[in-house]
Amino acid sequence: ETFYKYIELDRYRGGSCDGSYISRLHYLEDWIIDNSRRGLVQDLTKSLGGIRVPHVAREMTVNWKSYRYMRNSAAVRKGIRGMEARVSKLPFTHIPKDRVARIESKIRSGDIICITTRDSGGFGTSHVGLAYRSSKGVLHFMHASHPRNHGKVTLDSRLSTYLKRYGTIAGIMVARPVK
């Protein structure tokens, strides 16, 4: 029961699930703001040299057939459209990937790394993982791999190297758990 309460605290707007699909924090940028407001994480992105860029959140509306709750309910699709419109108005700051190597020393093991991408119209988030600093001091990206790799948790290469490997990645956001 305690485990489920922590999931609800972390993943739902205001820390409370009202039973609707829309109360969940579907977008990482929304998650960081909500959890920062409640004192659960500290958004380090701006202090690490992040820059403000145009923002767009529309992944779910564009790909609504991929989401079972949206496929089966016009009301949920309408609610998600409204939520995405609200999220798109939030300020969006990220650290461009070509600047990450310079700030890796300031990132700690356990920091939450949100991967940003650029879509037509602006930037958004697309993936998340954790920072892990090895005994040799190298900062790695730990994340759940793509489903074709059987969704295994992967301790990937150095964070800045991982980011450079993918042309679709624009940068990162960084949040540090407080409690």
Side-chain angles (χ1 to χ4, degrees), residues 32 75 90-91 109 112 118 121 127-128 134 147 160-161 164:
I32 288 176
L90 297 172
S109 282
I112 299 157
R118 183 177 182 132
H127 192 47
V128 66
S134 72
S160 54
T161 302
K164 288 176 187 174

Side-chain angles (χ1 to χ4, degrees), residues 23-24 30 56 58 83 124 128 138:
S23 68
R24 184 171 174 193
D30 195 18
V56 63
R58 63 174 175 239
M83 178 270 300
V128 66
V138 177

Side-chain angles (χ1 to χ4, degrees), residues 52-157:
R52 188 155 177 191
V53 292
H55 182 208
V56 63
R58 63 174 175 239
E59 161 75 19
M60 295 179 76
T61 298
V62 169
N63 297 301
W64 65 272
K65 292 179 182 177
S66 300
Y67 298 89
R68 67 180 169 164
Y69 294 112
M70 293 179 71
R71 254 193 330 260
N72 299 317
S73 172
V76 170
R77 288 193 298 275
K78 182 179 179 183
I80 292 293
R81 265 193 310 277
M83 178 270 300
E84 286 180 329
R86 184 187 58 74
V87 170
S88 291
K89 292 177 184 173
L90 297 172
F92 192 91
T93 303
H94 85 140
I95 303 160
K97 71 179 174 182
D98 63 354
R99 298 182 185 179
V100 171
R102 291 183 290 223
I103 56 99
E104 281 182 332
S105 64
K106 298 175 183 175
I107 298 174
R108 297 182 193 161
S109 282
D111 285 350
I112 299 157
I113 307 296
C114 304
I115 303 296
T116 64
T117 53
R118 183 177 182 132
D119 298 318
S120 61
F123 291 78
T125 53
S126 61
H127 192 47
V128 66
L130 297 173
Y132 174 79
R133 189 165 304 282
S134 72
S135 59
K136 294 181 180 182
V138 177
L139 185 73
H140 294 272
F141 183 55
M142 185 169 63
H143 61 112
S145 65
H146 192 278
R148 72 175 168 260
N149 296 329
H150 308 289
K152 295 176 183 173
V153 173
T154 303
L155 184 59
D156 221 303
S157 59

Side-chain angles (χ1 to χ4, degrees), residues 28-39:
L28 292 166
E29 54 270 39
D30 195 18
W31 179 90
I32 288 176
I33 289 171
D34 187 83
N35 278 271
S36 291
R37 187 178 312 124
R38 293 184 292 118

